[in-house]
Amino acid sequence: MRPRAASLACIRADVAHVHPADIGMRDHAPMEDSSDDDLVDTVTVHLREHDLAQVRAVMARHDASDLVRLLEREDGRDRAVMYRLLERQKALEVFELLDAGMRAELLQGLRTEDVARFFEEIDPDDRAQLVDELPAGVAQKLMRGLSPRERELTAPMLGYPKGSVGRHMSTEYVRLMPHLTTGDALSHVRHRGGDAETVYMLPVTDRERHVLGVVGLRQLVLGRPDSEIGAAMVEPRVVAATDDAETAARDVVEAGLLAVPVADGEGRLVGVFTVDDATRILEDAEDRTAARQGAAEPLGRPYLTTSVFGIVRARVVWLLVLAVSALLTVQVLGFFEGTLEEVTTLALFIPLLTGTAGNAGSQAATTVTRALALGEVTKRDWLVVMWREVRVGSILGGLLGLLGFAVGGLVFGWALGGVIGITLIAICTIAAVVGGAMPMLARAVGADPAVFSTPFIATFCDATSLIIYFVVATWILQL
Amino acid sequence: MRPRAASLACIRADVAHVHPADIGMRDHAPMEDSSDDDLVDTVTVHLREHDLAQVRAVMARHDASDLVRLLEREDGRDRAVMYRLLERQKALEVFELLDAGMRAELLQGLRTEDVARFFEEIDPDDRAQLVDELPAGVAQKLMRGLSPRERELTAPMLGYPKGSVGRHMSTEYVRLMPHLTTGDALSHVRHRGGDAETVYMLPVTDRERHVLGVVGLRQLVLGRPDSEIGAAMVEPRVVAATDDAETAARDVVEAGLLAVPVADGEGRLVGVFTVDDATRILEDAEDRTAARQGAAEPLGRPYLTTSVFGIVRARVVWLLVLAVSALLTVQVLGFFEGTLEEVTTLALFIPLLTGTAGNAGSQAATTVTRALALGEVTKRDWLVVMWREVRVGSILGGLLGLLGFAVGGLVFGWALGGVIGITLIAICTIAAVVGGAMPMLARAVGADPAVFSTPFIATFCDATSLIIYFVVATWILQL
């Protein structure tokens, strides 16, 4: 790896100082008439001052040919950074004006690890405003021949947010035109398919790369050689490069597709997203959900090859958080200590009641979390979910309450039986509602529904059920 | 649907009477010399007496041509039942001797829903001994043109157990021979690929259907037309029709394959298993695991379209089981009621301690359940898992114990702080070990590891942690 250029190092050191409010705020004099040297100086100064918004604003006021001359004077890394700060349309025009050698050098610069890291370290909100999606054609050239790991490193460059389809797509595909015959298309695949990630799903586009349809290799092989691709292609299920990768992955798998075309904001083909990437993404998501449901972070590697310390680290934070939350139960019981001293028998039922509340709550939470993950329920359904859980919880509470009344009444007398029965009805209902509400709430605020894990809900239900228990007891036993 | 034949109705009424011990036990006189009429009479009588083992034993003593004459005399359903009771090799010989019309009638009979149900209702252990895998060629003819639903109905006929690959495979595939050229193979696919489930993975077999390799359609399209399939094919990853479908599905997905060939016990091709079936199977498995982790049964349909009563049913059994198990905690506390009356303050920490034990236990259980599901851990690793959980649990317990000692000691005095600290160390260790052991135990006895759900483990840990708490308290506080 070559040593890092000084100017880039100095930008990186303080990149967090860029604020969205900076963008286009300071009004410099128009620069259209100034010489190329002036442009170079101005941009270089802004770059050294880490004022990316100004770099972008200044460049926006120049036409493509000026910008080409600017880029030709810079070294590889500064060139790459400046180029990525261009608006999309400008970036496309500039790329088309560059000669072959300069194009190769620019792409080389864009692939450099510290340029990628530089953009990764910009605050995501700033980045969204500073860095447009790369023009589809440039993106493809940039990604061509990169290994999956290199692609992942380069991803921040492309302007696709973390966890988006753009970070997981492949840019090695074979694209067809609608006017081709099936026979010609097959020869095209034969010549171009060598490096493609898949040739089983072939996107059909116009000259500007707008996705028109898809055709399967099966259709090319089985179809009549003189039929036109435009007639054979089917309506594509296109995903946007900025779409959430997990949602897109679930769609691909549910629809039983081998691959889908990925388009940029203007509907132009930038890549393909294949079923094996989709299943890998879903697998990772399941790992995360499974771990979080059990109040731990995913290990990220096989259990037996994770160090004991690594396992401790995945569990310790949640365990501490939950233990500290459980101090609430100590306070609640402290408040009712007098009642407990009077009727010690009440203490006997504490684990039974808190446990049942926890179970009822986690049943509801698990169901709703899963339904959210599968897209069966969306955050707008919260009222329906609540109402269902009220009914389910009260029916379950009614059944358990009857049992609690009978058993408790027979062994400890009917007054205590009544306390237990009524408490069970109330806590089952509340636990089911809370258990159903928590994942909905998490989703509504943009968090992972699985963070409101079974243990988290159990802890929350513990405190609630203790309060209900002692209020009911005080009332029925007239303490 | 035609009315059910009387003889079949009478077999079905009492099919459970067949016992494995019956098979070949009663020794009839050898019948090789008897006339065809005798054979028909004997077999028909045994069939009417529901003695399938005898039907099988008698038929085993005759050669294929006798059996052909026997089958030709029977009606469609009895013919199908008798045919399926033949040993595999005999079944193949008989099928080859049948003329085209009789073959079609036999297949027709085998597809009948009540013949399939008849075999489904035989005790699985008996069925394994009575019904061989169907010869690969017959199986393919039987399944051809059936819808997925029809295939599922017909599956018991094939001798593949529930949850096996055979129940999920497709029998519509294009098979290639190794001596074909790539060009000829491509024309073959062109002519035969219309109905195939997939043409992207093409199994290569010899004349006896033994799987030799696989070749992708991509290789056919991109390869030189005059190269031989035998040279282009790759080592196949073959699954057996009797393999567990979930394991096979995970293998297909992990390996990023579009499909794998399915072979019978002799390595002969019987079908293909595709990635979309694999992902559907894994999805269902995840549904089941997710629900069971939350102590409920899977709903089997989207949450919002399940009736309230359906949701109650999925949850009520586990909730009752857990509540009844929790009566154990009432008994434990009842035993220590004297101690509680003396130091009521002890009651204040009950929910905190039981809750923490439950959390530590479910963290371990979730991790190990997931590792088992992914095949990262097998039941033979139990000693390694236990030893890891002892260390993880005691480190976590040590951290929490220190915190408990400090907080408890500051607020309630150092003696009580000591009780809480020591209890936390002990219960975290035990809970982690129990949480890790439960899923391993379930797997060892062939049950779903997820049935030892978070709530189940929490309930178990509750009782254990209460005992430890009061023993430690009695000792330190000298009660």
Side-chain angles (χ1 to χ4, degrees):
Chain A
M1 214 170 104
R2 286 174 289 168
R4 186 179 301 150
S7 66
L8 195 63
C10 101
I11 306 172
R12 286 186 54 196
D14 221 341
V15 82
H17 284 193
V18 185
H19 289 294
D22 288 348
I23 299 172
M25 280 291 114
R26 290 178 227 167
D27 216 359
H28 288 244
M31 307 203 56
E32 282 78 359
D33 309 319
S34 60
S35 73
D36 285 350
D37 283 344
D38 280 356
L39 172 61
V40 172
D41 289 348
T42 321
V43 170
T44 312
V45 167
H46 287 312
L47 199 55
R48 276 182 216 287
E49 286 172 351
H50 343 133
D51 194 348
L52 303 186
Q54 272 303 322
V55 173
R56 186 177 159 93
V58 171
M59 291 196 302
R61 287 195 293 266
H62 286 81
D63 64 19
S65 53
D66 289 343
L67 294 168
V68 166
R69 280 190 296 276
L70 165 68
L71 292 178
E72 281 170 351
R73 296 209 196 171
E74 297 296 327
D75 78 9
R77 290 193 190 75
D78 279 3
R79 179 192 299 131
V81 170
M82 287 177 187
Y83 181 76
R84 279 310 278 124
L85 294 172
L86 290 173
E87 290 154 21
R88 203 225 309 258
Q89 191 50 41
K90 216 42 123 358
L92 186 60
E93 288 167 27
V94 167
F95 195 80
E96 278 165 2
L97 287 177
L98 291 176
D99 62 38
M102 192 50 70
R103 279 188 187 182
E105 273 187 48
L106 173 63
L107 291 172
Q108 182 63 41
L110 286 170
R111 281 177 188 156
T112 319
E113 206 172 312
D114 37 312
V115 174
R117 210 179 306 128
F118 169 69
F119 282 100
E120 186 76 321
E121 282 168 8
I122 301 177
D123 180 275
D125 291 336
D126 292 341
R127 196 168 58 213
Q129 298 200 41
L130 288 169
V131 185
D132 274 358
E133 277 183 313
L134 208 57
V138 183
Q140 204 209 357
K141 288 192 182 65
L142 178 62
M143 304 292 261
R144 183 171 288 160
L146 294 188
S147 71
R149 196 182 131 61
E150 287 168 331
R151 256 194 274 151
E152 215 182 303
L153 285 173
T154 320
M157 288 300 316
L158 294 168
Y160 307 131
K162 262 202 169 125
S164 68
V165 172
R167 300 262 178 135
H168 297 276
M169 70 186 182
S170 165
T171 48
E172 315 276 333
Y173 50 80
V174 181
R175 175 167 74 99
L176 299 177
M177 297 286 189
H179 59 80
L180 284 176
T181 64
T182 300
D184 291 343
L186 206 51
S187 334
H188 184 72
V189 172
R190 205 164 267 144
H191 290 110
R192 294 293 187 81
D195 297 324
E197 172 92 5
T198 181
V199 292
Y200 295 143
M201 185 283 299
L202 301 156
V204 183
T205 73
D206 62 16
R207 298 210 166 274
E208 285 76 43
R209 293 177 175 272
H210 293 110
V211 182
L212 305 173
V214 295
V215 67
L217 184 61
R218 178 181 188 144
Q219 287 159 274
L220 296 192
V221 169
L222 301 185
R224 280 182 31 224
D226 56 348
S227 62
E228 272 203 357
I229 292 299
M233 72 187 187
V234 296
E235 191 74 26
R237 185 185 287 250
V238 182
V239 298
T242 50
D243 280 356
D244 175 57
E246 195 183 323
T247 311
R250 203 168 287 283
D251 287 349
V252 168
V253 166
E254 299 270 298
L257 299 170
L258 297 183
V260 289
V262 182
D264 66 11
E266 292 171 334
R268 292 182 207 228
L269 186 67
V270 288
V272 292
F273 182 56
T274 58
V275 66
D276 50 319
D277 288 323
T279 49
R280 198 161 33 241
I281 290 167
L282 292 182
E283 187 90 327
D284 288 349
E286 297 289 357
D287 266 350
R288 220 164 36 238
T289 304
R292 293 212 172 131
Q293 292 273 2
E297 286 301 304
L299 297 176
R301 48 186 299 177
Y303 173 76
L304 290 182
T305 63
T306 310
S307 68
V308 166
F309 180 70
I311 302 176
V312 168
R313 201 169 41 194
R315 297 184 189 172
V316 68
V317 175
W318 272 112
L319 204 57
L320 280 172
V321 167
L322 293 169
V324 171
S325 321
L327 288 174
L328 189 63
T329 61
V330 179
Q331 285 193 288
V332 170
L333 285 174
F335 184 80
F336 292 108
E337 200 172 353
T339 315
L340 266 177
E341 263 169 19
E342 212 168 322
V343 193
T344 316
T345 317
L346 284 176
L348 272 51
F349 296 94
I350 290 176
L352 174 87
L353 295 172
T354 56
T356 302
N359 296 340
S362 53
Q363 286 184 329
T366 311
T367 318
V368 173
T369 303
R370 182 74 183 157
L372 281 167
L374 294 181
E376 291 169 6
V377 165
T378 66
K379 57 188 175 190
R380 282 170 314 173
D381 297 319
W382 68 272
L383 211 66
V384 186
V385 171
M386 295 298 91
W387 174 229
R388 308 201 110 210
E389 292 301 336
V390 167
R391 286 177 292 164
V392 171
S394 55
I395 294 173
L396 290 171
L399 289 169
L400 255 72
L402 265 178
L403 191 80
F405 175 66
V407 173
L410 283 171
V411 180
F412 299 91
W414 296 109
L416 195 53
V419 172
I420 293 164
I422 292 173
T423 306
L424 278 170
I425 297 175
I427 62 177
C428 283
T429 311
I430 291 175
V433 173
V434 169
M438 291 279 195
M440 300 292 288
L441 198 71
R443 175 55 61 95
V445 302
D448 178 1
V451 298
F452 289 120
S453 59
T454 304
F456 184 92
I457 285 165
T459 306
F460 184 92
C461 292
D462 280 359
T464 317
S465 52
L466 288 174
I467 296 175
I468 294 171
Y469 180 37
F470 281 95
V471 167
V472 172
T474 314
W475 167 56
I476 291 192
L477 304 180
Q478 295 174 334
L479 298 169
Chain B
M1 214 170 103
R2 285 175 290 170
R4 184 181 301 147
S7 66
L8 195 65
C10 102
I11 306 171
R12 286 188 54 198
D14 222 341
V15 82
H17 284 190
V18 185
H19 289 295
D22 288 348
I23 297 171
M25 280 290 114
R26 292 181 223 163
D27 214 359
H28 287 244
M31 307 203 56
E32 280 78 0
D33 311 317
S34 60
S35 73
D36 286 350
D37 283 345
D38 280 355
L39 172 61
V40 172
D41 290 347
T42 320
V43 170
T44 312
V45 167
H46 286 314
L47 199 56
R48 273 182 217 288
E49 285 173 351
H50 344 131
D51 194 347
L52 304 186
Q54 272 302 322
V55 173
R56 185 176 159 95
V58 170
M59 292 195 302
R61 287 195 294 267
H62 286 80
D63 64 20
S65 53
D66 290 342
L67 294 168
V68 166
R69 281 191 294 277
L70 165 69
L71 293 178
E72 282 171 351
R73 295 210 195 172
E74 296 297 327
D75 79 9
R77 289 192 190 73
D78 280 4
R79 179 190 300 129
V81 170
M82 286 177 188
Y83 182 76
R84 279 311 278 123
L85 294 171
L86 290 173
E87 291 154 20
R88 202 223 311 253
Q89 191 50 40
K90 217 40 128 351
L92 186 60
E93 288 167 29
V94 167
F95 195 79
E96 278 166 1
L97 287 177
L98 292 176
D99 61 37
M102 192 50 70
R103 281 187 186 182
E105 274 186 49
L106 173 62
L107 291 172
Q108 182 64 40
L110 287 170
R111 281 178 188 157
T112 318
E113 203 173 314
D114 35 314
V115 174
R117 209 179 306 128
F118 168 70
F119 282 100
E120 186 76 320
E121 283 169 7
I122 300 177
D123 180 274
D125 292 336
D126 294 340
R127 197 168 56 214
Q129 299 201 38
L130 289 169
V131 185
D132 275 357
E133 278 185 310
L134 208 56
V138 183
Q140 204 209 359
K141 289 192 179 66
L142 178 62
M143 304 292 263
R144 182 171 289 159
L146 294 187
S147 70
R149 196 183 131 61
E150 289 168 329
R151 257 195 272 151
E152 214 182 304
L153 285 172
T154 319
M157 287 301 316
L158 294 168
Y160 306 131
K162 262 201 169 123
S164 68
V165 171
R167 300 261 177 136
H168 296 277
M169 69 186 182
S170 164
T171 47
E172 315 276 332
Y173 51 81
V174 181
R175 174 167 74 99
L176 299 176
M177 298 286 189
H179 59 79
L180 285 176
T181 64
T182 300
D184 291 343
L186 205 52
S187 333
H188 184 71
V189 172
R190 205 164 268 145
H191 290 112
R192 295 292 188 80
D195 296 326
E197 172 93 6
T198 181
V199 292
Y200 295 143
M201 185 283 297
L202 301 156
V204 183
T205 72
D206 62 16
R207 296 212 166 276
E208 285 76 42
R209 293 176 174 272
H210 293 109
V211 182
L212 305 173
V214 295
V215 66
L217 183 61
R218 177 179 189 146
Q219 287 160 275
L220 297 192
V221 169
L222 300 185
R224 282 184 27 225
D226 56 348
S227 62
E228 272 203 357
I229 291 299
M233 73 187 186
V234 295
E235 191 74 26
R237 186 184 286 250
V238 182
V239 298
T242 49
D243 279 357
D244 175 57
E246 195 182 324
T247 311
R250 203 167 286 284
D251 286 350
V252 167
V253 166
E254 299 272 298
L257 299 170
L258 297 183
V260 288
V262 182
D264 65 11
E266 293 171 334
R268 294 183 207 228
L269 185 68
V270 289
V272 294
F273 182 56
T274 57
V275 67
D276 49 317
D277 289 323
T279 50
R280 198 163 29 241
I281 289 167
L282 292 182
E283 186 90 325
D284 289 347
E286 298 287 359
D287 266 350
R288 221 164 35 237
T289 305
R292 294 215 172 128
Q293 292 272 2
E297 286 302 303
L299 296 176
R301 46 185 302 177
Y303 173 76
L304 289 181
T305 64
T306 310
S307 68
V308 167
F309 180 71
I311 301 176
V312 168
R313 203 169 38 194
R315 296 183 190 172
V316 69
V317 175
W318 273 112
L319 203 57
L320 281 172
V321 168
L322 293 169
V324 171
S325 322
L327 289 175
L328 189 64
T329 61
V330 179
Q331 284 192 291
V332 170
L333 286 174
F335 185 80
F336 292 107
E337 200 172 353
T339 315
L340 266 177
E341 262 169 22
E342 213 167 321
V343 192
T344 315
T345 317
L346 284 176
L348 271 50
F349 296 93
I350 291 175
L352 174 87
L353 294 172
T354 56
T356 302
N359 295 341
S362 52
Q363 286 183 328
T366 311
T367 317
V368 174
T369 302
R370 182 73 182 158
L372 281 167
L374 294 181
E376 291 169 6
V377 165
T378 67
K379 57 187 174 190
R380 281 171 313 176
D381 297 319
W382 68 272
L383 210 66
V384 186
V385 172
M386 294 299 91
W387 175 229
R388 309 201 111 212
E389 290 302 335
V390 166
R391 287 177 291 165
V392 172
S394 55
I395 295 172
L396 290 171
L399 290 169
L400 255 73
L402 265 178
L403 191 80
F405 174 65
V407 174
L410 283 171
V411 181
F412 299 93
W414 296 108
L416 195 53
V419 171
I420 293 166
I422 293 173
T423 305
L424 278 170
I425 298 175
I427 63 178
C428 283
T429 311
I430 291 175
V433 173
V434 169
M438 291 278 195
M440 299 292 287
L441 198 71
R443 175 55 62 95
V445 301
D448 178 2
V451 299
F452 289 120
S453 58
T454 303
F456 184 91
I457 284 165
T459 306
F460 184 92
C461 292
D462 280 359
T464 316
S465 52
L466 289 173
I467 295 174
I468 294 171
Y469 181 38
F470 281 96
V471 168
V472 172
T474 314
W475 167 56
I476 292 193
L477 304 179
Q478 294 173 336
L479 298 170

